[in-house]
Amino acid sequence: SQAIIISFNIEAIKYSQDNYPETATGWVLPQWSTENQARAAVLAPDYLFIDKKYSPQKSEEIWPGPWQWVVYTLDSDEEIQHYHQLGFTIIETNKFSFFK
């Protein structure tokens, strides 16, 4: 119950959903595109991960869906605040100092 299967490989996510439906899944988007938006809608993972360099910069561009958004890798307070204001609810960081 504490595991989330995440992958860039959409087939791995589909396999996990089909064979381990009790385990949450997260698809790491290889890029921001209308094709991947359509794939995400069909896949309906629990989480969608996006690299900040591919992320849109307007909240109205963030795709709606049943998932929670995760943006990575945010390593400053300013970035975290910016992406939170866009609507991202979970962040990934490499900065241990946030938690001291």
Side-chain angles (χ1 to χ4, degrees), residues 18-72:
D18 292 344
N19 293 282
Y20 305 98
E22 70 284 354
T23 303
T25 58
W27 184 34
V28 185
L29 294 168
Q31 65 180 341
W32 192 269
S33 68
T34 54
E35 293 84 8
N36 283 335
Q37 182 180 13
R39 289 180 184 111
V42 171
L43 187 64
D46 299 291
Y47 300 88
L48 273 181
F49 289 73
I50 186 70
D51 187 317
K52 69 181 178 186
K53 66 184 174 186
Y54 301 128
S55 171
Q57 297 302 304
K58 297 179 180 176
S59 59
E60 60 270 11
E61 295 175 345
I62 306 296
W63 308 333
W67 47 76
Q68 291 186 59
W69 279 104
V70 182
V71 63
Y72 66 96

